[in-house]
Amino acid sequence: MTNNNSQQNILVLIYDNLISILFWFILSFLALVSIKHTCLVDSYEITFFLKDKPLIHIALILILITVFTLLKYSSFIGSLEKRLETDSRFFKTLTGAGLLIIFFLSLYFIFSAKLAPVSDQLFVQEAAEAFSKGDYSSLEKGGYLAVYPNQLGLVWISYVFFSIFGFGNYQAFQIMNALFLVMFYKKLSDITGLVSPGKKLPTLSVILLGILFYPLQIYCTFVYGTIPGLALSAASVYYALTFQNELKKKDAILSALFILLAMLFKPNYLICFIGIFLHAVIGIFRKNSPASDSKTEAKTSIKKEVLFSALLITAFIVQSKLPGIVTSTVTKMDTPKGASSLSWIAMGFQESGLAEGWYNGYNIKTLHEFDFDSELQSEAAKEEIVSRLSYFVHNPHYSVEFFTRKLTSEWNDPTYEAYWILRTSNKSEDSSAWAKTFISYDNYLKGVGFLNFLQTFILIGALLFASSRLFAEKKVACLSVPIQSADILLEIILIGGFFFHLMWEAKSQYTLTYIALLLPLSIVGYHRFINAVTRASKQSLALFAVKMLIPVALFAFIYSGSIGSHMSEDNDAYLRTIERELSE
């Protein structure tokens, strides 16, 4: 091995282990707050910080692990695993059945709730319909798109879509969402196969978990870019991983194309793009698929990796320029610059009546103050950011509490505002009786309770996955596994989302993407751990558990005082609020 190759291996080793450690710490924090606390919003999106029941969460997780472990010994599971591995037709049949269930559940929510778009959804669709009539007033000073030109991609997609299916035909868009959700889970199961090569049971289990994780089915009623962008991002991740395994140009092109489309639907998927791009760049240094170590094959591999990175850069440039070019060409108007991106960060550092770092109107207010001059607004936002950072530095206790509550409000809503989307269905004359019953007070509390535990289940599985790579003994082969390229890419996307939303305007809707992409790691985490329980010694498992829980114990100590108490003080107020809202 040459010195150059040694340096490359060291770079990759540092990258992989740094990502693994960061992922482990973040999952430890998220798992702890999920067990101890819960955050839920009312109809005005005001966040309530609730005390949870940690002993019940822990007991249920242990019971499930015990049940799964006992099932591992059963002849039924053994024969099922064997048949899944050997009978591809059987595996495809079960996979297809699971995807059909997800599709029809999504349709059931769509046709039962019969929800029309509101808020930003509505403003985007109104702009698209106005464009069809030659009305471009939303681009003018004071118009919606003059503030949010980042929505232009979705506006033009909606323009084309509704030109075909009819403006106001929102159910057509919602059905499209359901189809994209099927695409998402199909690609997510394919990604699981790359995380755990040769294992069909985890791949199938991801789809089964998707049936239970119904916030995404509810989001199919959202006439917005959330579900299409999520599906396209997952497809991009999958093809990026298959490219790095096989180095086929077709996969590189598909990955770049799908992430381009995802960002056109919703610019927030830029985080997924950054993760894929960073992974592509590291792929240049990573020893990849060529079986031979010859210099010729190595150079060919590097050239293809560089080409993939170039394709991703091209995709980014196209998605950033295309909506503006189309707008200027069609409307003969300059594309507005809109609110400065720094204004969103400044707002993310401020207090809000909803929760720390949530929307408070700062971006719109300051844009109006500076007469829609984005550059002047940007300078003001810089000053505000510097001022807030200075305040955080000089008030450490306040800073810890501020960012803890901000992160918790974003990541610890087990509904991810899915019920907030359905909030009007219990009063709508168009909604079915089932939809109104689903959102009734008693059923709402049952649904939230189920999702609350499901969130903990997902996070604990991902924590087991993160810990297995770092702390499992080498002799426990089912736990001690080499780092896979697929693992690292999913982890870097979650890490990117965590730090991005630490700074950006907060909203629990935004984190749904990252939790959904976490499902493969969660399922594989449980699969590996249960295999270890059946094979490893009690001493090895106990040592593994102690190491795994080090940051959990650290976070528990930090939040044992006043900061922790401030994250669990709203139980009574929330129950009164929800009972009033759902009984009106």
Side-chain angles (χ1 to χ4, degrees), residues 21-47:
I21 292 170
L22 281 173
F23 184 70
W24 170 54
F25 264 88
I26 290 171
L27 259 296
S28 298
F29 170 78
L30 297 181
L32 176 67
V33 296
S34 178
I35 290 172
K36 291 189 64 179
H37 312 283
T38 299
C39 288
L40 295 165
V41 300
D42 66 7
S43 61
Y44 299 101
E45 283 194 290
I46 296 173
T47 299

Side-chain angles (χ1 to χ4, degrees), residues 471-535:
F471 305 119
E473 294 183 17
K474 299 301 179 185
K475 61 184 178 181
V476 187
C478 47
L479 268 182
S480 180
V481 292
I483 291 175
Q484 301 285 341
S485 178
D487 309 351
I488 293 297
L489 179 49
L490 292 177
E491 291 177 10
I492 191 61
I493 290 173
L494 180 127
I495 293 168
F498 185 86
F499 285 108
F500 175 77
H501 290 291
L502 180 67
M503 300 183 297
W504 200 257
E505 175 236 5
K507 203 179 186 75
S508 55
Q509 284 184 12
Y510 299 155
T511 59
L512 178 62
T513 295
Y514 311 106
I515 296 298
L517 289 171
L518 202 61
L519 297 186
L521 303 187
S522 179
I523 288 293
V524 174
Y526 281 114
H527 187 260
R528 289 178 181 171
F529 184 74
I530 289 166
N531 283 337
V533 168
T534 61
R535 301 177 193 177

Side-chain angles (χ1 to χ4, degrees), residues 414-466:
T415 73
Y416 303 95
E417 295 192 78
Y419 277 95
W420 180 80
I421 293 171
L422 295 176
R423 66 198 183 284
T424 59
S425 62
N426 64 328
K427 305 180 186 70
S428 172
E429 294 180 0
D430 295 328
S431 298
S432 69
W434 178 86
K436 294 177 181 179
T437 301
F438 182 80
I439 200 70
S440 65
Y441 179 73
D442 290 339
N443 286 334
Y444 169 80
L445 293 181
K446 292 175 184 176
V448 168
F450 170 75
L451 292 176
N452 187 22
F453 172 70
L454 187 63
Q455 180 190 59
T456 299
F457 177 83
I458 292 169
L459 293 172
I460 292 295
L463 179 58
L464 286 169
F465 179 91

